[in-house]
C-alpha cells in the first residue's frame, strides 16, 4: 500500500522540497503537452506555492523557465517563465495506475527515497478532489467554491480525459467535467468568467460552471472549473472529418454552427459592457498584427518569405476607419471548441488563445475574430484528408457565414478587410502553435499562409 500519512511540515518548505523535485521535473515537464517549452530544456524552477491537499497529495504552483529560440540570423536564445499547476502524489510506492503517471523516485532532499507521480492520474486523489469541490472551503491559499444552487452527487467515478488539450480535464461519472488549468496567470480565467456570465444571461449554448477552484497566493487566479459533462457529444472537428471521410457536405451543420456562434455573440454583447472603438482603432489593431507576424517570423523562419505580402492584409485593414462596437468574444474559436449533441451545437473553452496574456484575452474585440477562427478551421479539416477538398471548405465557410448572418442580422463577409486581416493573423498564430506543439501539422497553416500571401481566397484552388 502507498504511504498516505501527511508529510511533515518541514518536508513542505519550498526550498528543500525543490531539491527533491527539481531533477524529476526537469525531465518530466518537457514531455507534457501543456508545457509551453515542450521538448526544450527547463532552465530554472521556483516553487511559488505548496499545499498538501490531502495526505500524500501535493498541490504546487511552480514557476518554470525554458529557453526560447528567436530564430533568424544572429538571434539569441532568451528565457520565458510561466507558472504551472501540478498535483503530485508522493509515497513509498505508486498506487496502481498507468505507468505514464510515474514521474520518478526522489533521490535527495526531504522526499529522498519516495516515489513521485502525477496525482491527476490517480483515482484516489481525483476522487478526493471532487469531494473538496462538493464541500466548499479553504485549504491553505486554495479556495474551493461552488454554485450553492447545485447539489453535486458523491462517489462519481473519475477518469482523466485522454484528449489532445492545453490543460487537463477529469470526467466524473459522465456527469461533470473538471478542467484543471495548467498554465496559470494572475486574474480571473475567462473560462470561468464568461460561461458564468452567459448562464446568468440565460444562454444555454454553453455549459454553466457549477464549482471552481481559486488561489490567493502567489496572486489571485482561477485554477479549475467544474461544468456539466455533455454525454454522447462529438466535437465539430470529429464531425467534420466524418463528413469528409464519407464524402458528405457539412453545409447544414456549418450553417447551424454559424447561428450558434451568433447567438453566443449576442448573449456576450448583453452580458458584458460594449466598447466603442476610437478613431484609428484599425490602425492600432493592424500594427499589433504586424508585430505578431514579425515576432512569429523570427521564431519560425518558414514564414519569413511571405511576411511582406502578409503585411499588405494588415495595411489594408489600417486604411479602413469605420469604428464598430467591440465586445467580449470566444477568442480561440475552432471546430475543436464546439460540441454537437443531437442536432444542437454547444460552445466550450472560453479561455482564449492560451499563449496570450490574460488581460489581452479578456479585452473587448470584434466578433469577426471568432468567425475568422472558425473559417480557418474548415480549411484545417479539408487539409487533414487526402485528396485536399478546397471546395468542401469553401461551401462550409459560406454556409457558416450565412447562418451567422441569419441570427445576427449582419454578415461577417460585409467586412472583408477585417475578415482577411483576422484570418491572416489567425494563420500566423497557428504557424507558431504548430511549430511549438505539433510540428508535423505545420504544413497546414503554412499552406494557408501561401494562399493568403498570394491573395487567393481560402478554399480556392491555386492556379496550376
Ligand atoms: N462540457 C463538456 N462536455 C463534454 N465534453 C467536454 C466538455 N467540455 C470539454 N469537453 C471535452 O474535453 C476536451 C478538452 O476541453 P477544452 O475545454 O477544449 O480543454 P483545453 O482548453 O485544455 O483544450 C474537448 O475537446 C471536449 O472533447
Ligand atoms: O487546445 P485548445 O483548444 O486551446 O487550442 C489549441 O490547440 C488546437 C489544436 O488542438 C489548435 O487548433 C488548430 O488545430 C485544430 C485541429 O486540431 C483546428 O480545428 C483549428 O482550426 C486550428 O487552429 C488551436 O489553434 C490552439 O489554440
Amino acid at each position: 500500500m502507498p504511504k498516505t500519512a501527511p508529510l511533515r511540515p518541514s518536508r513542505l518548505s519550498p526550498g528543500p522540497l525543490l531539491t527533491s523535485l527539481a531533477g524529476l521535473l526537469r525531465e518530466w515537464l518537457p514531455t507534457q503537452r501543456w508545457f509551453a517549452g515542450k521538448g526544450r530544456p527547463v532552465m530554472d524552477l521556483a516553487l511559488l506555492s505548496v499545499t498538501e491537499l490531502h495526505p500524500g497529495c501535493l498541490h504546487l504552483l511552480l514557476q518554470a523557465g525554458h529557453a526560447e529560440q528567436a530564430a533568424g540570423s544572429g538571434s539569441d536564445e532568451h528565457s520565458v517563465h510561466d507558472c504551472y499547476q501540478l498535483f503530485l502524489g508522493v509515497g513509498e510506492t505508486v498506487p496502481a495506475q498507468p505507468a505514464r503517471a510515474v514521474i520518478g523516485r526522489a533521490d535527495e532532499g526531504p522526499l529522498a527515497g519516495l516515489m513521485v507521480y502525477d496525482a491527476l492520474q490517480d483515482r484516489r486523489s481525483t476522487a478526493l478532489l471532487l469531494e473538496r469541490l462538493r464541500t466548499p472551503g479553504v485549504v491553505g491559499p486554495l479556495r474551493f467554491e461552488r454554485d450553492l444552487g447545485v447539489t453535486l452527487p458523491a462517489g462519481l467515478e473519475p477518469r482523466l480525459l485522454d484528449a489532445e488539450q492545453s490543460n487537463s480535464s477529469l470526467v466524473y461519472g459522465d456527469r461533470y467535467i473538471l478542467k484543471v488549468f495548467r498554465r496559470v496567470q494572475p486574474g480571473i480565467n475567462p473560462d470561468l468568467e464568461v460561461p458564468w456570465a452567459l448562464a446568468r444571461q440565460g444562454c444555454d449554448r454553453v455549459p454553466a460552471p457549477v464549482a471552481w477552484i481559486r488561489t490567493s497566493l502567489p496572486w489571485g487566479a482561477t485554477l479549475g472549473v467544474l461544468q456539466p459533462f455533455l454525454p454522447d457529444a462529438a466535437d465539430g472537428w470529429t464531425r467534420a472529418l466524418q463528413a469528409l471521410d464519407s464524402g458528405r457536405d457539412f453545409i447544414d451543420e456549418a450553417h447551424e454552427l454559424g447561428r450558434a456562434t451568433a447567438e453566443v455573440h449576442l448573449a456576450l454583447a448583453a452580458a458584458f459592457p460594449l466598447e466603442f472603438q476610437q478613431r484609428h482603432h484599425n490602425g492600432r489593431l493592424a500594427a499589433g498584427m504586424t508585430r505578431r507576424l514579425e515576432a512569429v517570423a523570427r521564431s519560425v523562419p518558414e514564414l519569413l518569405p511571405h511576411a511582406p505580402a502578409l503585411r499588405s492584409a494588415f495595411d489594408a485593414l489600417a486604411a479602413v476607419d469605420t469604428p464598430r462596437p467591440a465586445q467580449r468574444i470566444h477568442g480561440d474559436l475552432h471546430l475543436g471548441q464546439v460540441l454537437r449533441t443531437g442536432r444542437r451545437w454547444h460552445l466550450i473553452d472560453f479561455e482564449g488563445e492560451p499563449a496570450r496574456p490574460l488581460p489581452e484575452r479578456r479585452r473587448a474585440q470584434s466578433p469577426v475574430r471568432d468567425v475568422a477562427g472558425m473559417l480557418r478551421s474548415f480549411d484545417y479539416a479539408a487539409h487533414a484528408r487526402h485528396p485536399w477538398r478546397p471546395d468542401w471548405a469553401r461551401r462550409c465557410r459560406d454556409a457558416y457565414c450565412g447562418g451567422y448572418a441569419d441570427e445576427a442580422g449582419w454578415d461577417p463577409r460585409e467586412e472583408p478587410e477585417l475578415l482577411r486581416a483576422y484570418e491572416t493573423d489567425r494563420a500566423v498564430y497557428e504557424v507558431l502553435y504548430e511549430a511549438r506543439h505539433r510540428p508535423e501539422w505545420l504544413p497546414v497553416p503554412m499552406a494557408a499562409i501561401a494562399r493568403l500571401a498570394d491573395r487567393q481566397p481560402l478554399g480556392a484552388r491555386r492556379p496550376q
Side-chain angles (χ1 to χ4, degrees):
M1 283 293 289
K3 182 177 174 179
T4 53
L7 294 166
R8 282 195 305 278
S10 60
R11 285 182 152 179
L12 298 179
S13 161
L17 189 63
L18 197 56
T19 317
S20 289
L21 295 175
L24 298 175
L25 295 178
R26 277 181 205 283
E27 294 277 312
W28 183 70
L29 285 172
T31 66
Q32 302 303 302
R33 183 177 189 254
W34 40 262
F35 182 62
K38 192 164 187 290
R40 273 159 288 171
V42 176
M43 284 170 57
D44 40 53
L45 292 172
L47 277 175
L48 303 181
S49 142
V50 180
T51 311
E52 189 167 27
L53 257 187
H54 52 261
C57 178
L58 298 182
H59 176 276
L60 305 182
L61 290 175
L62 173 82
Q63 182 173 283
H66 68 269
E68 188 107 329
Q69 181 112 47
S73 50
S75 50
D76 296 327
E77 260 190 5
H78 62 288
S79 66
V80 174
H81 291 86
D82 290 292
C83 173
Y84 296 92
Q85 175 173 213
L86 309 183
F87 290 78
L88 298 185
V90 177
E92 280 167 4
T93 58
V94 175
Q97 56 194 332
R100 65 175 183 277
V102 177
I103 298 177
R105 189 180 295 281
D107 56 13
E108 53 184 319
L111 304 184
L114 295 179
M115 290 299 294
V116 179
Y117 55 93
D118 178 7
L120 291 188
Q121 302 194 44
D122 171 37
R123 215 203 127 269
R124 175 178 162 271
S125 301
T126 50
L128 286 168
L129 193 54
L130 181 66
E131 274 310 296
R132 280 272 175 233
L133 286 161
R134 289 185 64 241
T135 46
V138 174
V139 188
L142 310 181
R143 303 183 76 85
F144 292 82
E145 298 172 337
R146 69 176 170 86
D147 179 346
L148 296 174
V150 175
T151 308
L152 290 172
L156 295 175
E157 189 60 26
R159 69 180 162 93
L160 184 65
L161 205 67
D162 189 19
E164 254 208 10
Q165 59 175 136
S166 311
N167 299 286
S168 298
S169 294
L170 291 154
V171 177
Y172 288 98
D174 279 359
R175 298 275 304 275
Y176 293 98
I177 180 164
L178 173 66
K179 172 141 106 176
V180 172
F181 297 115
R182 285 304 198 164
R183 221 173 340 156
V184 177
Q185 294 187 26
I188 185 167
N189 191 300
D191 209 12
L192 170 60
E193 180 191 28
V194 172
W196 176 263
L198 287 175
R200 301 281 112 13
Q201 205 57 43
C203 173
D204 62 358
R205 292 277 188 184
V206 176
V210 292
W212 48 92
I213 313 169
R214 294 192 296 153
T215 184
S216 51
L217 276 177
W219 12 255
T222 315
L223 298 176
V225 184
L226 186 78
Q227 290 173 315
F229 183 72
L230 303 173
D232 307 320
D235 65 63
W237 177 252
T238 307
R239 288 290 178 114
L241 294 188
Q242 283 168 350
L244 276 160
D245 290 346
S246 53
R248 270 194 301 114
D249 258 328
F250 199 60
I251 292 176
D252 291 347
E253 291 92 332
H255 186 270
E256 191 32 46
L257 185 54
R259 290 196 84 109
T261 308
E263 201 181 305
V264 171
H265 279 165
L266 291 172
L268 283 166
F272 292 95
L274 296 180
E275 274 179 28
F276 289 89
Q277 295 168 346
Q278 311 290 318
R279 276 183 61 96
H280 309 307
H281 168 84
N282 284 348
R284 284 191 294 277
L285 183 62
M289 290 173 171
T290 305
R291 277 196 300 277
R292 171 141 85 158
L293 167 65
E294 285 163 357
V296 175
R298 282 195 293 276
S299 291
V300 188
E302 291 92 319
L303 203 53
L304 270 176
H306 302 291
L310 295 176
R311 265 196 293 270
S312 68
F314 305 144
D315 294 344
L317 171 63
V320 180
D321 205 11
T322 41
R324 302 264 300 178
Q327 62 163 90
R328 292 297 292 271
I329 61 168
H330 181 282
D332 187 18
L333 194 61
H334 60 84
L335 282 165
Q337 312 281 42
V338 292
L339 299 177
R340 192 149 167 97
T341 46
R343 297 185 59 78
R344 199 166 166 76
W345 287 110
H346 296 265
L347 273 61
I348 57 165
D349 194 2
F350 283 76
E351 225 192 324
E353 289 174 9
R356 292 202 193 218
L358 265 192
E360 196 182 318
R361 294 194 242 153
R362 294 181 62 211
R363 219 172 271 156
Q365 300 178 64
S366 166
V368 172
R369 178 155 170 233
D370 280 346
V371 171
M374 191 57 81
L375 297 186
R376 286 285 312 115
S377 212
F378 293 124
D379 180 62
Y380 250 75
H383 264 279
R385 290 296 185 259
H386 294 292
W388 177 41
R389 302 255 321 267
D391 298 342
W392 182 94
R394 203 191 51 245
R395 283 193 295 276
C396 288
R397 294 159 60 90
D398 285 344
Y400 179 76
C401 289
Y404 190 97
D406 287 350
E407 186 71 28
W410 62 278
D411 192 321
R413 290 167 294 189
E414 287 160 13
E415 304 208 36
E417 292 86 3
L418 193 56
L419 192 54
R420 187 172 187 88
Y422 270 125
E423 274 201 74
T424 306
D425 184 55
R426 177 75 189 178
V428 168
Y429 162 78
E430 288 167 343
V431 164
L432 184 65
Y433 182 87
E434 302 299 6
R436 277 189 179 159
H437 297 275
R438 306 186 299 188
E440 69 282 8
W441 283 74
L442 188 54
V444 177
M446 280 308 300
I449 290 287
R451 294 198 305 286
L452 284 157
D454 251 8
R455 297 196 57 83
Q456 290 289 315
L458 287 176
R461 213 171 282 282
R462 276 168 72 78
Q464 299 300 306

